[in-house]
């Protein structure tokens, strides 16, 4: 069973908050970005590697590759999975990745979305994915950084 410390939804993926605050608080030593587009975008990977803390490994896998290989992770790997959206998290869960809690971090405002929390904007597809994640017994919580209080996920649902 992979040692998944936390799964986070953050449309910026690896950046300062993730690299400095979350990684330290949860004790991760591997940042796994599960995203089809980023898995083949060497430029974005290079930029995110610059934000990753020293001594913390990074991996950039497609959703399917994550599902296929996560079970082979060594016990010493303390994995922090970062996804861009709730649909990717749902695909991981439905593919058998043992995710028990999801931190909803940054989902920025864009066309067709509505603001529901400080740093979270959703559309109907997002809400549907969050409902399905919750129905699978996964703990959901909104929290931009670990030093502020969690916000009630019912704002999304």
């Amino acid at each position: 069973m992979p040692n998944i410390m936390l799964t986070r939804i953050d449309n910026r993926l690896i950046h300062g908050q993730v690299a400095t605050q979350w990684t330290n608080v949860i004790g991760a030593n591997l940042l796994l970005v599960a995203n089809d587009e980023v898995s083949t975008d060497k430029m974005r990977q290079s930029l995110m590697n610059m934000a990753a803390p020293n001594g913390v490994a990074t991996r950039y896998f497609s959703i399917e590759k994550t599902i296929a290989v996560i079970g082979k992770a060594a016990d010493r790997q303390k994995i922090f999975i970062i996804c861009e959206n709730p649909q990717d998290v749902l695909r991981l869960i439905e593919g058998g990745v043992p995710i028990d809690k999801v931190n909803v971090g940054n989902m920025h405002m864009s066309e067709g979305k509505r603001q529901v929390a400080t740093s979270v904007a959703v559309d109907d597809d997002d809400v549907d994915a969050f409902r399905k994640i919750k129905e699978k017994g996964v703990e959901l919580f909104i929290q931009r950084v670990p030093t502020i209080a969690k916000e009630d996920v019912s704002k999304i649902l």
Side-chain angles (χ1 to χ4, degrees):
M1 176 96 91
N3 192 4
I4 299 171
M5 309 304 287
L6 182 65
T7 300
R8 177 176 169 92
I9 297 170
D10 192 319
N11 59 358
R12 294 187 295 168
L13 300 169
I14 299 175
H15 57 91
Q17 290 171 350
V18 167
T20 59
Q21 296 184 44
W22 284 105
T23 302
N24 290 337
V25 165
I26 65 172
N29 61 16
L30 173 62
L31 303 179
L32 169 55
V33 173
N35 180 273
D36 291 342
E37 288 177 27
V38 172
S39 70
T40 60
D41 188 335
K42 298 298 181 199
M43 175 65 99
R44 283 183 73 189
Q45 291 176 23
S46 175
L47 292 169
M48 285 188 268
N49 282 339
M50 286 191 269
N54 288 335
V56 176
T58 56
R59 300 287 183 276
Y60 302 95
F61 293 162
S62 67
I63 299 300
E64 287 306 314
K65 182 171 182 177
T66 304
I67 291 166
V69 303
I70 194 92
K72 298 173 186 163
D75 288 341
R76 69 182 179 281
Q77 292 177 306
K78 296 177 180 171
I79 306 167
F80 184 7
I81 298 176
I82 306 151
C83 293
E84 193 171 44
N85 57 59
Q87 293 83 357
D88 284 353
V89 172
L90 181 60
R91 285 175 60 203
L92 291 174
I93 294 167
E94 289 175 341
V97 177
I99 293 171
D100 58 5
K101 61 184 170 190
V102 175
N103 162 239
V104 183
N106 295 305
M107 292 179 64
H108 292 116
M109 189 64 148
S110 61
E111 190 169 335
K113 297 201 180 236
R114 59 194 176 276
Q115 199 79 31
V116 294
T118 307
S119 60
V120 180
V122 296
D123 61 20
D124 291 343
D125 288 341
D126 297 330
V127 173
D128 186 52
F130 279 122
R131 271 201 187 96
K132 289 176 180 168
I133 291 167
K134 190 161 177 60
E135 286 168 5
K136 294 186 178 297
V138 175
E139 176 193 348
L140 286 167
F141 62 96
I142 301 168
Q143 192 175 21
R144 195 168 32 88
V145 292
T147 54
I148 63 170
K150 294 177 181 178
E151 292 183 61
D152 188 353
V153 78
S154 67
K155 294 177 177 186
I156 295 173
L157 307 172

